[in-house]
Amino acid sequence: MRTFLAIPLPEARRRAAAEAGRGLGLEPRDWRFVPEDGLHLTLRFLGEVEPARSKAMEPTWRRAVLGIGPLPLRLGGAGAFPDARRPRVVWLGLTDGTAGGALERLAESLEGAARAAGFPPEPRPFFPHVTLARVRRPGRIAPCSCEAVGELGAFVADRVVLFRSELARGGARYVEEASFPLGAEGSP
């Protein structure tokens, strides 16, 4: 099963994100939008993992989040990969409100735990974002009017979730497999 570790967005921020995505003027025939209930911040993509191994890895992820407290995050601003002139992915930005860069430390801790468990290294640097849409057909896509998106509000992330991705005809559906609270003391 395809799995990843992420911070889910609270309902109000998911609504604001989906509304911002609709306001970008992206043509549905050209773009596949992430369903509102699936909007999240991916911390570490794990890929295909056998169900038994995924279950056995839960204590590893729980330990990796120890020492990281709840994270104040701010959602806002939009961009595109590789850039707004040739967009393939349209995203919303997330800003860490902690003084010491706790979101980056969390991502580094999960990356270290994944590598120690034998997962291949993530080749791209961590860039906190929420994917709104992916291009359906590469080619001539109009530039994204990403600069139109402003602040969409703040929230406090209080957990990391291990999600399973179920691919279906209408797009991926994300199912929560396990949850690891931020700020929890001790180990399992």
Side-chain angles (χ1 to χ4, degrees):
M1 65 184 181
R2 290 171 52 92
T3 60
F4 61 94
L5 295 157
I7 293 174
L9 297 184
E11 184 178 350
R13 297 292 68 82
R14 286 194 318 259
R15 265 196 318 270
E19 188 174 313
R22 289 189 293 273
L24 289 174
L26 302 175
E27 292 292 332
R29 72 176 180 271
D30 296 330
W31 292 90
R32 186 176 61 249
F33 289 86
V34 175
E36 184 175 320
D37 65 351
L39 294 170
H40 63 272
L41 161 62
T42 300
L43 295 166
R44 180 55 157 90
F45 180 72
L46 301 169
E48 290 291 332
V49 180
E50 291 296 320
R53 182 174 186 214
S54 182
K55 187 72 175 160
M57 290 296 303
E58 289 178 15
T60 300
W61 310 132
R62 192 172 316 283
R63 282 189 300 275
V65 305
L66 287 176
I68 305 286
L71 299 169
L73 301 174
R74 181 164 298 282
L75 182 66
F81 296 132
D83 59 51
R85 290 181 309 282
R86 298 169 295 133
R88 294 183 59 84
V89 172
V90 174
W91 50 261
L92 293 174
L94 276 163
T95 306
D96 182 351
T98 64
L103 180 59
E104 182 75 28
R105 281 197 329 272
L106 174 61
E108 288 171 359
S109 180
L110 291 168
E111 175 65 21
R115 287 182 184 195
F119 288 92
E122 173 56 54
R124 297 168 295 206
F126 177 66
F127 178 76
H129 68 281
V130 174
T131 298
L132 288 176
R134 291 178 180 84
V135 72
R136 285 183 191 273
R137 300 175 297 178
R140 297 190 156 260
I141 299 294
C144 176
S145 58
C146 296
E147 63 281 347
V149 177
E151 289 292 322
L152 299 174
F155 68 100
V156 175
D158 60 358
R159 66 192 182 116
V160 171
V161 174
L162 173 65
F163 283 106
R164 176 184 70 214
S165 178
E166 294 179 344
L167 301 179
R169 198 159 193 230
R173 187 172 80 89
Y174 307 124
V175 178
E176 187 173 320
E177 290 289 308
S179 181
F180 313 106
L182 296 173
E185 297 297 323
S187 62

